[in-house]
Amino acid sequence: MYSPIKRFLIGRPLKSSELGEQKLNKLKALAILSSDALSSVAYGPEQVLLVLMTISAVAFWFSIPIAIGVLFLLAALILSYRQIIYAYPHGGGAYVVSKENLGINPGLIAGGSLLVDYILTVAVSVSAGTDAITSALPFLHSYNVLIAILLVIIITILSLRGITESASILAYPVYLFVIALVILLGAGIVKIVTGDIPSNLHSPIGTPVAGISLFLLMRAFASGCSALTGVEAISNAIPSFKDPAPKNAAKTLTIMGILLAILFSGVIFLAYYYGVSPKENETIVSQLASQTFGRSYLYYFIQGTTALILILAANTGYSAFPLLAFNLAKDNYIARMFSIRGDRLGYSNGIIFLGAMSILLILAFQGNTEKLIPLYAVGVFIPFTLSQTGMLVKWIREKPSGWQIKLTINLVGALISLLVLLIFLITKFTQVWPVFIFLPLIVTWFHQIKKHYESVGEQLRIKDCAESLPIMGNVMIIPVAGITHVVENSLEYAKSLGVDQIIAVNVSFEREDERKFEEKWQKWQPEIRLVTLHSSYRSIIHPLTKFIDTIEHKASEMNYRVTVMIPQFIPKKNWHNILHNQSSLLIRAYLLYKRNVIVTTVPYHLKK
Amino acid sequence: MYSPIKRFLIGRPLKSSELGEQKLNKLKALAILSSDALSSVAYGPEQVLLVLMTISAVAFWFSIPIAIGVLFLLAALILSYRQIIYAYPHGGGAYVVSKENLGINPGLIAGGSLLVDYILTVAVSVSAGTDAITSALPFLHSYNVLIAILLVIIITILSLRGITESASILAYPVYLFVIALVILLGAGIVKIVTGDIPSNLHSPIGTPVAGISLFLLMRAFASGCSALTGVEAISNAIPSFKDPAPKNAAKTLTIMGILLAILFSGVIFLAYYYGVSPKENETIVSQLASQTFGRSYLYYFIQGTTALILILAANTGYSAFPLLAFNLAKDNYIARMFSIRGDRLGYSNGIIFLGAMSILLILAFQGNTEKLIPLYAVGVFIPFTLSQTGMLVKWIREKPSGWQIKLTINLVGALISLLVLLIFLITKFTQVWPVFIFLPLIVTWFHQIKKHYESVGEQLRIKDCAESLPIMGNVMIIPVAGITHVVENSLEYAKSLGVDQIIAVNVSFEREDERKFEEKWQKWQPEIRLVTLHSSYRSIIHPLTKFIDTIEHKASEMNYRVTVMIPQFIPKKNWHNILHNQSSLLIRAYLLYKRNVIVTTVPYHLKK
């Protein structure tokens, strides 16, 4: 089980008692949980300008009021989520908040959209990062999909090693990106102040724009809001923080909010002032950097850290998905395996599932996952809206001291989130309609799974009243293929159990073999009854099953149990198994699942 | 097992007694077993001209003497193989002949190269056919690999349906191709005789050519000989013929030889007389057809049937590979599963294996399998040479009446085959060197597999002398996860067997759970001993295995057997299994293969 390769990749297994050492301090948590949010600075402003550009470059001044709107929403979200963190210190974020305050279905809708969203995060961000790499190194371009998959595998392995270890490795690029952008913004402002940049490159704020419409402005605002995806990650991952977890998480969230606000508004402002417009082959950040520094080392530093953070945004998904899956699994809404801690104390099944699903998405879209971005943004604003609304209900119900202020904060948050969600649905319906198909599907699955677990639990529970019928005796059926040590071994075992009836069964394909075998058997094991079954279709399992059915029918009348005992030799080397007929495996699985018989395998280990 | 899908694809299972009805008459056999040889007319002449073209178009007249050489070799091969068919009426071809007359290793070399060769046949011919299709329909070009794989899957399914059924479907294209080429040759000769084609398009035979070398002529001759691949297929497949099988096979072989001779020499002659030279984008056959008929319906008929026969050449591999694999499996040189007849009485494992390997080759070479052609030709001439030499030895040993003539025929065949083989090795070494790596490897594998089977047989055989120690008693270990009906069911079964010792084992992750569980157990099943194992690493299998080892050690001293009894509930619907921890599956496999314990699974079938 603990192969050397596994050990090399993910490290030695950790004891359950070492869990505390796997927690994150604020510095690492900020890096690992905010990479998704911060990375959106690399594409969010561009999305706004892309929408405005459909009118004319004159309309670019609208990016300033739009950015103010986004900042306002960001502030509301950060304040709201701070309240969620303190109210729900065990994490779970939107799922737990919605479930507890709004009921099961809103909770499942929030949980389901976030689960899907984290998968989209990984696929989208890794694809975007790969594009950045292959734009810089064009000879790698035809390997785009392969590179993206390799990156997902690497991040998956890092996550399996454990959250703190991956945080240590991945913290540098995040901080380097922040430093790079701060340098860019600082230098840009210095240039503006010193007049290096002419002030006539942009249309002044308030310039009338022909053809502008509310629809278009709303669309631009919604696009800008896609920069806010990832803000909720910290509230899902509170259990990963060092104690006092809620306090540390809240502080980290605030710092992240401030950083995001500075970088986002800075990039929007510089882009506006420089009069930059989106280009097919060059990002806004790249244009700003090259106009500020030329194609110097600083330019490449900014581009490099941007590519890195796009890839690392995936890491936020890897931190939040397994914890959310754990919460859903604890409540029996998804398979229980998501609640088991792996070797390194992470919820490894969740991590592996996330990696596998993202790879499937990348393959399905051949790496062109940007089509998924609107879907992804909608998937974020659904839980945003639900969790804020849940908090509203909580404050109204509980009325703690100062609840009016808390209520106001969440009310504002809920309204803006709802507004953005509606704008998305209205302005980008052609891209986001799948959400109306997969969300109901997922919620239905959740309920079915829960129902199944409950039904199983009910059926397994022992009630004092019911007394099962006692077993009156046993019949053993032993399929035999020849007169060998393997069969001898099984027969001896069967005899040692003192069973009432032992029946050896031989399935033969050729009539002439049958008589010969019966004669030999008579000499070898005269005391054990041999039944010969003729198979016209060269199948072993069919005649055998038919025979077992007959026996089982008779046995159940007398309350006897039927055991099928399968003699099996085990070769010394594993690869030898492919040289032997694996029908015993099939027979075993078939009988166990399809018939009410007990299956015993008696191994005979070869020595050479 | 017999799912409706399987039934739909390959038809109802056939009784073993229906085997006779699955045999081929001469007409179908010719179609199915000669498609490989006949299809080489579509590319063989071109290969000759391609080599000669490296000098100049003047050298094209050499194609006539080269064609005569190829025809001579063809005649020798046909005569030789007729003798092989009568001498070895049970088929097996080069493998059986070489093995019986030259010894094991020559036999294995012949068998190994043919096995690989049939895989190459399928990959190469399907890729070539796909190229022909996508040249005609360019919008399909980017799906080349996918189309080739689909074609392989279709041919595999047809082969699984049974040899006669696939012959019925596949016979038409083969005969249409023959008809198409005969029409082309006839019309061409009429045009030549009537003087429609000017007689000055070609250099007269004997024109001196500057720069011609023996090496180059040899190379051209070897290339022409690649048209002879597939000639041996009939001798491998004698058991597929209707009785009298050898006579029918010999006749079929002769007809095939005559057809191949006419088509091959006809195409070479027309190409020479028309003065056609190989072009990048148009085949020789296409040029001949368009110069004779223009781009009329006849032209497209010829092109279409050519594409079809290239694909169907794969079918020869599907007929010959499974029979050769059966012969090798019967002698224990490859896995025994190749000797089992499937539902439709074909050796289905061989067919599926051939299909899977060809798909892997197509994927590995991304459909550009023409690189494999020289390798493939060498792989054919090795068994040609070996089988002829084997026949030589046979005649010298047995000296039947008229052996001198028979000897002469095989001697000529052996010498020419050896010559062609050497020419290939000398003139195309850079392309055929892998044969020196994979052939020794394959032969080594064959020996290892044989050795393994012999060792297993030896170990399983019951010798009268040895008396095994009687089993003194049994210990049952039952891993229990809770107090449920599943566990109750297993305990009752264990009790009913009247075993000496029953030990329930609980693996716990949390100290506090342990005491609670022990108390509950004490009340529930006081008479059954419960052992609690604590797992620090959240693994069930490790502490359990350690415990079993301890018990097993003690038990084996007293000659007791250890049985691990695994309680398992079986959900009503299959998909429910993914919702439950599959650790019991892992535990079962691990214990069975790694430890000397008997494994019993006691199913508890859920009703809902």
Side-chain angles (χ1 to χ4, degrees), chain B residues 531-546:
Chain B
V531 172
T532 308
L533 306 172
H534 182 75
S535 169
S536 311
Y537 291 95
R538 300 161 311 285
S539 158
I540 294 175
I541 204 156
H542 273 243
L544 191 62
T545 321
K546 251 170 86 181

Side-chain angles (χ1 to χ4, degrees), chain A residues 96-165:
Chain A
V96 174
V97 175
S98 312
K99 188 186 70 171
E100 299 210 344
N101 298 300
L102 302 176
I104 281 299
N105 279 322
L108 292 181
I109 291 171
S113 30
L114 278 178
L115 275 191
V116 174
D117 236 55
Y118 290 129
I119 298 170
L120 294 175
T121 309
V122 175
V124 169
S125 62
V126 170
S127 304
T130 309
D131 283 344
I133 294 175
T134 56
S135 303
L137 310 167
F139 64 95
L140 289 175
H141 197 76
S142 52
Y143 301 101
N144 248 353
V145 173
L146 194 68
I147 293 171
I149 290 172
L150 278 178
L151 286 172
V152 173
I153 291 171
I154 291 170
I155 300 175
T156 306
I157 289 171
L158 279 174
S159 300
L160 287 173
R161 288 192 76 96
I163 195 166
T164 46
E165 273 199 48

Side-chain angles (χ1 to χ4, degrees), chain B residues 283-314:
Chain B
T283 62
I284 293 285
V285 173
S286 165
Q287 290 183 56
L288 291 178
S290 71
Q291 286 186 31
T292 309
F293 302 116
R295 296 264 162 164
S296 64
Y297 283 112
L298 263 173
Y299 169 79
Y300 287 105
F301 173 61
I302 290 167
Q303 283 302 93
T305 52
T306 307
L308 265 179
I309 201 165
L310 280 172
I311 297 168
L312 293 187

